[in-house]
Amino acid sequence: MPVLYYVPIIHSIEDYGSLRPAIEEAFARQRGKAGFTDLQRNINEFWKIAEERIERAIPNVQGLIIYHDGFPVGSPEKILELFAHMCGDNPKSPNFRLIKKMLDKRAVLEGTEDINLLIEQLNLYKRAVEAATPEEQAKILTADGQRSQEITRLRDVFIAKRIHGTLPDSREGILFIGRDHEVITELEKLPRKFTVISL
């Protein structure tokens, strides 16, 4: 039976790439710069704890298959090229630093997402975070909310099927996914059974 380690993650501001300035500004507008700074400190602490738990649970990550939200299905070469483009040699994101550390120890990064769903949801996020005022942002979130929830559900179904189809019985995988996702619930609906270990 395949083993899947499950890490429900919190994204740091560095994970958002070109959306970072708009997200940082929107958050600071709502909760102040001090609130934004405190949140990032807490997120960095979360990743320290997550890394410690992973190292205890999986001391040897060679051959471990990494599934991570935001990385679309593609050839192994394209996935690594995308990761290198996003992160460079010295990632600022604690999330991507951990992934790079695992890849350096010969873990494998697997394409996880449907590119079309990913792009559609990113565009919805972009519309919201780039709103000129909190009132405009609230209107956009209300207008796009139902579709965004449906996209999240479809992404979860796709990711679960992807794991189901690419994680062999003899291998272990690890899933890094945002806390609002229900991938494990979707995975349980599929025919093959997995041992899921939450970290």
Side-chain angles (χ1 to χ4, degrees):
M1 184 180 293
V3 174
L4 181 69
Y5 296 93
Y6 166 55
V7 185
I9 65 175
I10 308 172
H11 287 290
S12 69
I13 192 65
E14 290 86 4
D15 293 353
Y16 290 98
S18 62
L19 289 179
R20 174 181 176 164
I23 290 174
E24 189 169 345
E25 182 182 339
F27 191 96
R29 196 166 57 213
Q30 288 179 351
R31 300 191 189 178
K33 290 187 177 180
F36 177 80
T37 301
D38 287 344
L39 175 63
Q40 296 311 305
R41 187 182 304 114
N42 290 338
I43 290 173
N44 285 331
E45 186 61 30
F46 162 84
W47 279 105
K48 286 179 186 175
I49 294 168
E51 182 170 356
E52 289 169 2
R53 288 179 178 173
I54 290 166
E55 288 178 347
R56 281 198 304 268
I58 323 168
N60 181 8
V61 298
Q62 181 174 342
L64 180 74
I65 301 176
I66 301 171
Y67 300 93
H68 195 294
D69 65 356
F71 285 91
V73 171
S75 69
E77 295 78 16
K78 287 290 184 185
I79 302 301
L80 289 176
E81 186 180 312
L82 175 61
F83 182 83
H85 174 74
M86 291 172 66
C87 308
D89 292 329
N90 187 24
K92 293 181 179 178
S93 157
N95 181 356
F96 291 152
R97 273 201 305 270
L98 174 57
I99 300 299
K100 184 177 187 305
K101 187 174 179 180
M102 296 169 80
L103 292 175
D104 289 345
K105 294 180 179 179
R106 301 182 67 185
V108 178
L109 184 59
E110 181 68 68
T112 305
E113 298 250 27
D114 178 326
I115 185 66
N116 296 313
L117 293 172
L118 192 59
I119 288 172
E120 185 178 356
Q121 191 151 59
L122 286 172
N123 285 336
L124 293 180
Y125 290 156
K126 187 174 181 181
R127 272 170 40 85
V129 300
E130 291 181 349
T133 65
E135 293 77 20
E136 182 185 343
Q137 185 178 66
K139 286 180 183 177
I140 292 170
L141 289 171
T142 299
D144 294 345
Q146 188 172 354
R147 179 56 185 162
S148 185
Q149 288 178 359
E150 176 63 9
I151 294 170
T152 298
R153 187 190 69 79
L154 292 172
R155 286 174 63 199
D156 290 346
V157 169
F158 185 91
I159 294 168
K161 288 180 179 177
R162 184 72 182 159
I163 295 168
H164 186 270
T166 60
L167 183 57
D169 285 344
S170 59
R171 299 278 291 279
E172 293 184 341
I174 186 166
L175 171 65
F176 294 92
I177 191 80
R179 291 170 179 244
D180 293 336
H181 288 264
E182 299 287 344
V183 173
I184 301 303
T185 300
E186 295 298 333
L187 190 62
E188 289 169 350
K189 297 175 184 177
L190 298 174
R192 286 175 68 216
K193 297 306 172 190
F194 290 73
T195 298
V196 177
I197 301 172
S198 295
L199 296 178

